Amino acid sequence: MTQIKSQDKTAVRSQIAPGTTQSSNSRIHRRTRGQTHGPITRLMSPSDFGSLLKPFVFLDLIDNRGKPFSGFGLHPHSGIATLTYIAEGSVRYEDTNGATGLLPAGGIEWMRAGGGVWHGGGTGDPGRTRGFQLWIALPPELELGPSESVYLAPDVIPHEGSARVLLGNYGAATSSIKTPSPMNYLAIHLNAGERWRYQPPVGHTVLWTAIATGSVLVPDELQQGELVALTPSNEAVEFEATADAEFVVGSAVSHNYQLVLGSHSVHTTVEALHEAEGRISQIRMRLIQQGRF
């Protein structure tokens, strides 16, 4: 539901974002608190952590803290997939694949944009709504393919111990969503004093975590609102909650393609971006004819 800001529409290279620090601890490569605009904190974008952690290219922490938020009207995407995970509250959604509804706490929205789709939404029931929206860059064979939207209720999302499996697999739990490339994306809840251990699969050289609430040790302390890129390694990472904590963990095989950005899109080549922009324009014309704008 979020959009690319103008400063992200540039050729990207690995760099440290404003407010980012680097730890001497060998497991923490970079850390940041991102930039906040209203209820959205952008923790990752292609101009900073996204170029380091691709295929994970954007990550937004959503928290309206109970204040009214109208959300985002219909807007387009292409070349990426988005996964919206709601930890508290609810969000409204609609897309040009014909889906509309209300996503409750614990539910997820998966939107593989492919060659072009429009979607929108905003907070649902009154009160606090918080969660994460993750953008994933698609490989060449999928970036211009058909769009796909999946909305999953909380009771169908598999879990293993403290982990809810949003994408990929962990232990005996496997997500029903087919990932565009090998990756895991897990939501973890720990009570103060609890520990959780994550063993990255072989080949997952990309590894990061973002803290939604509370604080954890890895063994450096990570606090609410931080995103941390961990040093690539196949060694397990152990998390210990120093306060009740919720956080997400992502790991993946690296996306070894260029990131070419449009207003709402991420592609591997300029040619693919231009083709998708043409498809997006065609969908817009249909929406105008339907009186949606």
Side-chain angles (χ1 to χ4, degrees):
M1 292 179 287
T2 53
Q3 305 179 23
I4 298 177
K5 298 171 187 173
S6 59
Q7 62 263 38
D8 295 324
K9 302 175 194 175
T10 57
V12 296
R13 59 187 180 275
S14 181
Q15 54 183 287
I16 297 179
T20 300
T21 60
Q22 187 164 337
S23 171
S24 60
N25 186 291
S26 62
R27 294 315 305 267
I28 295 180
H29 182 49
R30 294 181 185 173
R31 61 198 299 171
T32 182
R33 301 190 70 86
Q35 297 184 0
T36 300
H37 300 273
I40 307 295
T41 298
R42 176 144 290 176
L43 294 171
M44 181 196 314
S45 67
S47 59
D48 45 67
F49 277 65
S51 61
L52 177 69
L53 298 174
K54 60 184 183 181
F56 307 109
V57 291
F58 283 92
L59 182 69
D60 289 338
L61 174 60
I62 305 163
D63 191 346
N64 73 340
R65 301 187 183 278
K67 299 178 181 179
F69 175 58
S70 59
F72 300 96
L74 281 172
H75 59 277
H77 289 303
S78 66
I80 53 97
T82 64
L83 190 144
T84 305
Y85 169 65
I86 301 304
E88 183 177 347
S90 61
V91 295
R92 296 174 287 102
Y93 64 82
E94 62 174 327
D95 64 53
T96 51
N97 290 332
T100 60
L102 187 72
L103 193 68
I108 62 175
E109 173 201 39
W110 168 257
M111 171 61 72
R112 193 183 70 199
V117 72
W118 289 63
H119 76 160
T123 55
D125 300 324
R128 188 177 187 182
T129 294
R130 62 179 181 85
F132 286 99
Q133 184 174 76
L134 175 69
W135 292 31
I136 297 166
L138 296 177
E141 64 271 19
L142 293 176
E143 65 180 319
L144 292 173
S147 62
E148 172 190 67
S149 53
V150 177
Y151 301 89
L152 297 179
D155 58 356
V156 300
I157 298 175
H159 62 89
E160 174 84 7
S162 302
R164 305 192 76 207
V165 181
L166 309 182
L167 290 174
N169 59 81
Y170 173 71
T174 300
S175 170
S176 61
I177 297 171
K178 184 177 180 181
T179 59
S181 57
M183 67 183 65
N184 288 340
Y185 183 41
L186 312 174
I188 316 301
H189 174 83
L190 296 179
N191 294 323
E194 288 186 330
R195 295 183 177 185
W196 177 74
R197 185 176 184 271
Y198 181 61
Q199 174 64 62
V202 174
H204 283 215
T205 58
V206 173
L207 180 61
W208 59 273
T209 185
I211 313 302
T213 63
S215 57
V216 297
L217 303 176
V218 293
D220 281 7
E221 186 175 45
L222 312 181
Q223 297 182 340
Q224 177 181 357
E226 283 194 284
L227 179 143
V228 171
L230 298 169
T231 302
S233 171
N234 202 236
E235 294 182 7
V237 181
E238 187 166 288
F239 298 79
E240 180 180 355
T242 53
D244 293 355
E246 295 179 17
F247 56 98
V248 290
V249 172
S251 71
V253 172
S254 180
H255 178 81
N256 295 319
Y257 302 96
Q258 184 180 3
L259 301 180
V260 179
L261 277 63
S263 297
H264 306 82
S265 306
V266 179
H267 284 273
T268 64
T269 65
V270 173
E271 293 76 15
L273 174 61
H274 288 168
E275 182 173 341
E277 287 176 336
R279 298 186 191 182
I280 284 171
S281 295
Q282 292 173 0
I283 298 173
R284 182 177 184 274
M285 291 302 298
R286 292 201 298 270
L287 291 171
I288 292 174
Q289 293 170 356
Q290 295 166 4
R292 303 294 297 277
F293 293 130

